[in-house]
Amino acid sequence: MENFDTYQTPLASRYASKEMSHLFSATMRFSTWRKLWLNLAIAEKQLGLQISDEAIEQMKNNLNLTPEQFEIAAVEEKKRRHDVMAHVHTFGVVAPAAAGIIHLGATSCYVTDNADLIFIRQGLTYLIQSISVLISRLSSFAAEHRALPTLGFTHFQPAQLTTVGKRATLWIQELLWDLRNLQRARDDIGFRGVKGTTGTQASFLSLFDGDHQKVEELDKLVTELSGFPFAYPVTSQTYSRKIDVDVLAPIASFGATAHKIGTDLRLLANLKEVEEPFESTQIGSSAMAYKRNPMRSERVCSIARHLMVLHQNALMTASVQWFERTLDDSANRRITLPEAFLGADVVLSTLQNVSEGLVVYPKVIERRIAQELPFMATENIIMALVKKGGDRQEAHEKIRVLSHEAGHQVKQLGLTNDLIERVRGDAYFDPIKDDLDELLDPKSFIGRAPEQVDAFLKDWVGPALASEECRDAIAKSKKVELSV
């Protein structure tokens, strides 16, 4: 039964996926420590240290902790005030033949830092898969609405027309950059490896009687056994906290993208042009029963802001690592790293859910265009008159006067824009009255937006999602059902 008596992070208890929540769980952390101790023992045995087959076998058979072992570790940690040594002891209890060689020659950061790098790399993989699916969903939306005219906004003031699909490509393009940045960060992740207490490998050099080659081989073997292509060539006691900076930078950058998308959707909801999904039994407000608040997009913006500030935290932590290390990074990183990945996971799943149920209201969009298009069409009207032999300056003045009159109707009297009716009623415009419907066709104002959507999806989105990893993630993906 869920524990309601203690605080739980809402990122895990309310929002995040099971996969990402499990990645940063105690179960995953401590079982990963045991795998790292096993890899170290296997490599040390292979290079000649006296470690029995029984010790290796017992370690292999006890990589996962039972509830009883968690209790043993908790008691030991309270006594020793050292989590790593508490788990060394606990592992030795269930693997007694290995008790004397667990953690042999290593410092605490051998397990803590190497485990963090494992979690970071896997966490980035989860985010890469999720963002690929989101891009795919939004690409389908963009393709469907590639040619649907909508009023464009600059400064949130009416501007020239665009299309609903073209606007979505602006979101997708930023997500493509986020995908690239996350892939770069993951592919750049190395292993701390076997470096000793201050990074000099002195303890291992002593274990191997001064044989430098064996120490180098130990580092390579453990790195390979742990599934990494390379280890950082030099470290202090820890891997450089600049690595955390490099990892949280693309996550923070994605946060900015997500916030922009969420904000656009919130504004569109206010305009009643596009809305996020809204279930039949969903309540928008406890007081105002009619409301359809864009709460999912608001959640995206809320958590995205947190993602953006976590990068600053990593920068500050990296800047204060004195000499070979200080411990003021430890408690901080226990919070910052999981929250960054859980937060990004939540934002991605929420955006996917939104993208899978976006509702477009063409009639509302059409009505808003009709209110603004007459003003935008004035240049077309002037040019049409000139082509029929009219004077450009005279036509400009005529249309200017009528535009101000229509503007008064809209702004001062709260009436509809009647500019076109005024044009139709003025004999001066007789030469082009038969052309007005064509001159006012919204599709003549969207330029190459549909073609831009087509080209973007084909030339940019297609190649970006062409890797086996991305294709598999999309193929296996299911619709996201939010629990809250």
Side-chain angles (χ1 to χ4, degrees):
M1 182 176 178
E2 185 177 354
N3 187 345
F4 294 102
D5 298 325
T6 59
Y7 173 78
Q8 297 180 14
T9 170
L11 290 175
S13 63
R14 287 176 65 87
Y15 306 129
S17 67
K18 292 180 180 179
E19 293 80 8
M20 193 68 83
S21 296
H22 178 66
L23 181 64
F24 290 96
S25 68
T27 295
M28 176 63 79
R29 176 166 298 278
F30 299 131
S31 65
T32 301
W33 286 8
R34 290 188 175 187
K35 291 173 186 174
L36 287 165
W37 281 320
L38 171 63
N39 291 343
L40 179 62
I42 290 172
E44 288 176 336
K45 176 179 173 61
Q46 184 174 328
L47 291 171
L49 295 189
Q50 295 302 307
I51 297 174
S52 68
D53 292 338
E54 183 183 11
I56 298 295
E57 196 63 25
Q58 287 184 0
M59 292 173 79
K60 284 181 179 179
N61 292 334
N62 290 280
L63 294 176
N64 297 316
L65 285 76
T66 63
E68 293 75 20
Q69 290 173 46
F70 274 105
E71 289 293 332
I72 294 171
V75 170
E76 192 68 18
E77 183 174 356
K78 187 174 182 179
K79 184 194 305 182
R80 305 297 180 188
R81 297 292 179 185
H82 199 290
D83 56 349
V84 173
M85 289 309 297
H87 279 273
V88 168
H89 168 80
T90 304
F91 199 12
V93 169
V94 294
I101 57 91
I102 295 171
H103 199 67
L104 183 59
T107 186
S108 297
C109 289
Y110 166 69
V111 287
T112 58
D113 274 32
N114 281 323
D116 282 343
L117 291 166
I118 290 170
F119 303 148
I120 286 170
R121 190 173 66 166
Q122 184 59 53
L124 288 170
T125 294
Y126 287 151
L127 296 183
I128 288 165
Q129 293 169 350
S130 295
I131 203 169
S132 300
V133 175
L134 175 59
I135 290 169
S136 174
R137 298 291 196 269
L138 286 174
S139 294
S140 297
F141 177 82
E144 180 180 356
H145 302 288
R146 59 183 287 282
L148 178 60
T150 190
L151 184 63
F153 291 93
T154 58
H155 316 277
F156 202 30
Q157 301 299 312
Q160 289 293 326
L161 301 192
T162 183
T163 69
V164 172
K166 170 62 190 298
R167 179 177 282 151
T169 64
L170 301 180
W171 304 333
I172 297 167
Q173 179 168 250
E174 294 192 4
L175 289 170
L176 288 179
W177 294 333
D178 294 321
L179 173 62
R180 173 203 63 192
N181 294 342
L182 291 168
Q183 289 170 331
R184 286 177 177 175
R186 183 190 59 183
D187 294 346
D188 199 42
I189 293 291
F191 200 55
R192 178 194 173 274
V194 181
K195 297 296 196 297
T197 52
T198 57
T200 65
Q201 298 176 309
S203 58
F204 297 104
L205 192 63
S206 177
L207 279 175
F208 289 102
D209 299 321
D211 191 329
H212 290 269
Q213 186 174 348
K214 282 193 174 182
V215 174
E216 290 181 8
E217 188 62 25
L218 178 70
D219 202 2
K220 291 178 182 178
L221 276 173
V222 174
T223 298
E224 291 171 4
L225 287 168
S226 301
F228 280 76
F230 72 97
Y232 296 116
V234 293
T235 74
S236 60
Q237 189 174 91
T238 69
Y239 71 76
S240 170
R241 298 316 183 209
K242 284 276 286 185
I243 303 304
D244 296 345
V245 173
D246 290 347
V247 168
L248 266 62
I251 293 178
S253 183
F254 162 69
T257 299
H259 201 292
K260 201 273 188 197
I261 296 172
T263 301
D264 282 356
L265 290 171
R266 292 163 68 187
L267 294 172
L268 287 167
N270 175 264
L271 296 173
K272 297 181 174 61
E273 293 187 3
V274 180
E275 285 184 343
E276 64 181 37
F278 196 93
E279 278 82 24
S280 60
T281 57
Q282 183 174 333
I283 295 174
S285 167
S286 61
M288 295 166 280
Y290 60 87
K291 293 194 76 179
R292 291 171 63 99
N293 300 334
M295 50 81 68
R296 300 174 208 207
S297 298
E298 290 171 323
R299 180 186 300 169
V300 165
C301 292
S302 179
I303 299 176
R305 286 200 301 273
H306 187 55
L307 293 182
M308 289 186 273
V309 300
L310 287 176
H311 185 227
Q312 183 66 30
N313 190 312
L315 285 166
M316 290 188 287
T317 297
S319 72
V320 296
Q321 292 305 290
W322 304 347
F323 300 116
E324 279 63 51
R325 89 154 303 180
T326 66
L327 197 61
D328 65 344
D329 63 331
S330 179
N332 185 295
R333 293 174 66 255
R334 289 174 191 249
I335 301 167
T336 303
L337 289 176
E339 285 198 354
F341 282 94
L342 288 168
D345 175 75
V346 172
V347 171
L348 280 165
S349 62
T350 307
L351 279 175
Q352 183 184 329
N353 172 267
V354 169
S355 70
E356 290 169 342
L358 283 173
V359 182
V360 179
Y361 297 104
K363 292 299 182 183
V364 177
I365 294 172
E366 184 180 324
R367 185 170 69 245
R368 181 160 285 107
I369 290 174
Q371 283 291 305
E372 302 293 341
L373 193 60
F375 294 135
M376 298 176 191
T378 54
E379 186 175 3
N380 286 8
I381 293 173
I382 292 170
M383 293 300 101
L385 277 168
V386 171
K387 288 180 180 180
K388 294 290 180 70
D391 179 87
R392 193 267 175 196
Q393 304 309 327
E394 184 179 2
H396 183 278
E397 180 60 19
K398 284 279 188 180
I399 204 74
R400 185 189 70 81
V401 171
L402 295 183
S403 295
H404 281 289
E405 292 174 355
H408 176 79
Q409 290 283 105
V410 173
K411 295 180 179 179
Q412 301 299 323
L413 303 180
L415 301 175
T416 58
N417 187 339
D418 64 352
L419 175 59
I420 300 306
E421 285 72 20
R422 292 174 184 273
V423 169
R424 292 186 191 279
D426 192 321
Y428 177 80
F429 296 96
D430 285 349
I432 55 94
K433 286 180 182 177
D434 291 341
D435 303 324
L436 279 176
D437 288 341
E438 182 179 348
L439 292 173
L440 290 166
D441 183 356
K443 290 185 178 179
S444 68
F445 289 83
I446 60 176
R448 297 191 62 256
E451 291 74 21
Q452 286 183 343
V453 172
D454 295 340
F456 174 72
L457 296 179
K458 175 178 178 290
D459 298 336
W460 293 91
V461 175
L465 301 182
S467 70
E468 183 177 355
E469 177 181 32
C470 293
R471 287 188 285 107
D472 284 350
I474 295 166
K476 294 176 182 176
S477 65
K478 299 179 181 178
K479 291 187 68 173
V480 169
E481 298 293 338
L482 300 181
S483 57
V484 290

PDB file of all heavy atoms in Angstrom, residues 386-400:
ATOM      1  N   VAL A 386      -4.595  49.118 -59.876  1.00  0.00           N
ATOM      2  CA  VAL A 386      -3.537  49.655 -60.736  1.00  0.00           C
ATOM      3  C   VAL A 386      -3.461  48.864 -62.038  1.00  0.00           C
ATOM      4  O   VAL A 386      -3.300  49.421 -63.122  1.00  0.00           O
ATOM      5  CB  VAL A 386      -2.178  49.653 -59.998  1.00  0.00           C
ATOM      6  CG1 VAL A 386      -1.044  50.005 -60.963  1.00  0.00           C
ATOM      7  CG2 VAL A 386      -2.201  50.622 -58.818  1.00  0.00           C
ATOM      8  N   LYS A 387      -3.592  47.544 -61.951  1.00  0.00           N
ATOM      9  CA  LYS A 387      -3.558  46.711 -63.150  1.00  0.00           C
ATOM     10  C   LYS A 387      -4.716  47.015 -64.085  1.00  0.00           C
ATOM     11  O   LYS A 387      -4.631  46.807 -65.301  1.00  0.00           O
ATOM     12  CB  LYS A 387      -3.592  45.230 -62.761  1.00  0.00           C
ATOM     13  CG  LYS A 387      -2.298  44.726 -62.139  1.00  0.00           C
ATOM     14  CD  LYS A 387      -2.412  43.241 -61.781  1.00  0.00           C
ATOM     15  CE  LYS A 387      -1.126  42.729 -61.159  1.00  0.00           C
ATOM     16  NZ  LYS A 387      -1.212  41.293 -60.791  1.00  0.00           N
ATOM     17  N   LYS A 388      -5.829  47.528 -63.506  1.00  0.00           N
ATOM     18  CA  LYS A 388      -6.991  47.900 -64.337  1.00  0.00           C
ATOM     19  C   LYS A 388      -6.933  49.350 -64.782  1.00  0.00           C
ATOM     20  O   LYS A 388      -7.920  49.898 -65.288  1.00  0.00           O
ATOM     21  CB  LYS A 388      -8.279  47.649 -63.534  1.00  0.00           C
ATOM     22  CG  LYS A 388      -8.556  46.178 -63.210  1.00  0.00           C
ATOM     23  CD  LYS A 388      -8.936  45.392 -64.448  1.00  0.00           C
ATOM     24  CE  LYS A 388      -9.217  43.918 -64.115  1.00  0.00           C
ATOM     25  NZ  LYS A 388     -10.440  43.701 -63.347  1.00  0.00           N
ATOM     26  N   GLY A 389      -5.785  50.004 -64.563  1.00  0.00           N
ATOM     27  CA  GLY A 389      -5.612  51.377 -65.040  1.00  0.00           C
ATOM     28  C   GLY A 389      -5.758  52.442 -63.988  1.00  0.00           C
ATOM     29  O   GLY A 389      -5.688  53.641 -64.291  1.00  0.00           O
ATOM     30  N   GLY A 390      -5.940  52.055 -62.721  1.00  0.00           N
ATOM     31  CA  GLY A 390      -6.110  53.028 -61.663  1.00  0.00           C
ATOM     32  C   GLY A 390      -4.805  53.671 -61.232  1.00  0.00           C
ATOM     33  O   GLY A 390      -3.710  53.202 -61.563  1.00  0.00           O
ATOM     34  N   ASP A 391      -4.934  54.769 -60.446  1.00  0.00           N
ATOM     35  CA  ASP A 391      -3.780  55.488 -59.913  1.00  0.00           C
ATOM     36  C   ASP A 391      -3.446  54.937 -58.531  1.00  0.00           C
ATOM     37  O   ASP A 391      -4.309  54.896 -57.644  1.00  0.00           O
ATOM     38  CB  ASP A 391      -4.096  56.983 -59.821  1.00  0.00           C
ATOM     39  CG  ASP A 391      -2.946  57.786 -59.254  1.00  0.00           C
ATOM     40  OD1 ASP A 391      -2.076  58.202 -60.026  1.00  0.00           O
ATOM     41  OD2 ASP A 391      -2.918  57.965 -58.017  1.00  0.00           O
ATOM     42  N   ARG A 392      -2.196  54.567 -58.331  1.00  0.00           N
ATOM     43  CA  ARG A 392      -1.788  53.909 -57.084  1.00  0.00           C
ATOM     44  C   ARG A 392      -2.034  54.795 -55.872  1.00  0.00           C
ATOM     45  O   ARG A 392      -2.562  54.348 -54.854  1.00  0.00           O
ATOM     46  CB  ARG A 392      -0.318  53.510 -57.179  1.00  0.00           C
ATOM     47  CG  ARG A 392       0.141  52.547 -56.069  1.00  0.00           C
ATOM     48  CD  ARG A 392       0.731  53.266 -54.882  1.00  0.00           C
ATOM     49  NE  ARG A 392       1.052  52.317 -53.809  1.00  0.00           N
ATOM     50  CZ  ARG A 392       1.286  52.671 -52.566  1.00  0.00           C
ATOM     51  NH1 ARG A 392       1.212  53.948 -52.217  1.00  0.00           N
ATOM     52  NH2 ARG A 392       1.570  51.775 -51.646  1.00  0.00           N
ATOM     53  N   GLN A 393      -1.644  56.068 -55.938  1.00  0.00           N
ATOM     54  CA  GLN A 393      -1.775  56.966 -54.795  1.00  0.00           C
ATOM     55  C   GLN A 393      -3.241  57.244 -54.469  1.00  0.00           C
ATOM     56  O   GLN A 393      -3.635  57.290 -53.306  1.00  0.00           O
ATOM     57  CB  GLN A 393      -1.038  58.293 -55.072  1.00  0.00           C
ATOM     58  CG  GLN A 393       0.427  58.140 -55.430  1.00  0.00           C
ATOM     59  CD  GLN A 393       1.191  57.279 -54.418  1.00  0.00           C
ATOM     60  OE1 GLN A 393       0.898  57.284 -53.229  1.00  0.00           O
ATOM     61  NE2 GLN A 393       2.167  56.528 -54.906  1.00  0.00           N
ATOM     62  N   GLU A 394      -4.032  57.435 -55.500  1.00  0.00           N
ATOM     63  CA  GLU A 394      -5.455  57.672 -55.291  1.00  0.00           C
ATOM     64  C   GLU A 394      -6.117  56.434 -54.682  1.00  0.00           C
ATOM     65  O   GLU A 394      -6.935  56.543 -53.753  1.00  0.00           O
ATOM     66  CB  GLU A 394      -6.128  58.026 -56.622  1.00  0.00           C
ATOM     67  CG  GLU A 394      -7.596  58.396 -56.475  1.00  0.00           C
ATOM     68  CD  GLU A 394      -8.243  58.761 -57.817  1.00  0.00           C
ATOM     69  OE1 GLU A 394      -7.549  58.676 -58.852  1.00  0.00           O
ATOM     70  OE2 GLU A 394      -9.421  59.116 -57.813  1.00  0.00           O
ATOM     71  N   ALA A 395      -5.769  55.252 -55.180  1.00  0.00           N
ATOM     72  CA  ALA A 395      -6.327  54.015 -54.643  1.00  0.00           C
ATOM     73  C   ALA A 395      -5.913  53.821 -53.188  1.00  0.00           C
ATOM     74  O   ALA A 395      -6.714  53.383 -52.346  1.00  0.00           O
ATOM     75  CB  ALA A 395      -5.849  52.832 -55.480  1.00  0.00           C
ATOM     76  N   HIS A 396      -4.668  54.153 -52.879  1.00  0.00           N
ATOM     77  CA  HIS A 396      -4.170  54.034 -51.514  1.00  0.00           C
ATOM     78  C   HIS A 396      -4.985  54.916 -50.575  1.00  0.00           C
ATOM     79  O   HIS A 396      -5.373  54.498 -49.476  1.00  0.00           O
ATOM     80  CB  HIS A 396      -2.686  54.417 -51.463  1.00  0.00           C
ATOM     81  CG  HIS A 396      -2.072  54.254 -50.097  1.00  0.00           C
ATOM     82  ND1 HIS A 396      -2.208  55.203 -49.103  1.00  0.00           N
ATOM     83  CD2 HIS A 396      -1.333  53.243 -49.555  1.00  0.00           C
ATOM     84  CE1 HIS A 396      -1.572  54.802 -48.017  1.00  0.00           C
ATOM     85  NE2 HIS A 396      -1.029  53.603 -48.268  1.00  0.00           N
ATOM     86  N   GLU A 397      -5.245  56.170 -50.991  1.00  0.00           N
ATOM     87  CA  GLU A 397      -6.000  57.085 -50.148  1.00  0.00           C
ATOM     88  C   GLU A 397      -7.434  56.601 -49.949  1.00  0.00           C
ATOM     89  O   GLU A 397      -7.978  56.654 -48.835  1.00  0.00           O
ATOM     90  CB  GLU A 397      -5.994  58.486 -50.759  1.00  0.00           C
ATOM     91  CG  GLU A 397      -6.764  59.522 -49.960  1.00  0.00           C
ATOM     92  CD  GLU A 397      -6.242  59.733 -48.544  1.00  0.00           C
ATOM     93  OE1 GLU A 397      -5.069  59.356 -48.260  1.00  0.00           O
ATOM     94  OE2 GLU A 397      -7.002  60.263 -47.707  1.00  0.00           O
ATOM     95  N   LYS A 398      -8.049  56.104 -51.005  1.00  0.00           N
ATOM     96  CA  LYS A 398      -9.420  55.603 -50.907  1.00  0.00           C
ATOM     97  C   LYS A 398      -9.497  54.437 -49.904  1.00  0.00           C
ATOM     98  O   LYS A 398     -10.371  54.403 -49.037  1.00  0.00           O
ATOM     99  CB  LYS A 398      -9.898  55.121 -52.280  1.00  0.00           C
ATOM    100  CG  LYS A 398     -10.269  56.238 -53.237  1.00  0.00           C
ATOM    101  CD  LYS A 398     -11.674  56.739 -52.922  1.00  0.00           C
ATOM    102  CE  LYS A 398     -12.150  57.719 -53.989  1.00  0.00           C
ATOM    103  NZ  LYS A 398     -13.522  58.219 -53.678  1.00  0.00           N
ATOM    104  N   ILE A 399      -8.599  53.506 -50.032  1.00  0.00           N
ATOM    105  CA  ILE A 399      -8.625  52.335 -49.170  1.00  0.00           C
ATOM    106  C   ILE A 399      -8.229  52.697 -47.739  1.00  0.00           C
ATOM    107  O   ILE A 399      -8.710  52.108 -46.765  1.00  0.00           O
ATOM    108  CB  ILE A 399      -7.729  51.196 -49.734  1.00  0.00           C
ATOM    109  CG1 ILE A 399      -8.194  49.827 -49.192  1.00  0.00           C
ATOM    110  CG2 ILE A 399      -6.269  51.402 -49.394  1.00  0.00           C
ATOM    111  CD1 ILE A 399      -9.460  49.342 -49.812  1.00  0.00           C
ATOM    112  N   ARG A 400      -7.370  53.709 -47.584  1.00  0.00           N
ATOM    113  CA  ARG A 400      -6.979  54.157 -46.244  1.00  0.00           C
ATOM    114  C   ARG A 400      -8.183  54.714 -45.486  1.00  0.00           C
ATOM    115  O   ARG A 400      -8.409  54.376 -44.319  1.00  0.00           O
ATOM    116  CB  ARG A 400      -5.888  55.227 -46.348  1.00  0.00           C
ATOM    117  CG  ARG A 400      -5.331  55.671 -44.991  1.00  0.00           C
ATOM    118  CD  ARG A 400      -4.413  56.875 -45.136  1.00  0.00           C
ATOM    119  NE  ARG A 400      -5.172  58.076 -45.490  1.00  0.00           N
ATOM    120  CZ  ARG A 400      -5.846  58.830 -44.603  1.00  0.00           C
ATOM    121  NH1 ARG A 400      -5.860  58.492 -43.314  1.00  0.00           N
ATOM    122  NH2 ARG A 400      -6.489  59.908 -45.000  1.00  0.00           N
TER     123      ARG A 400
END
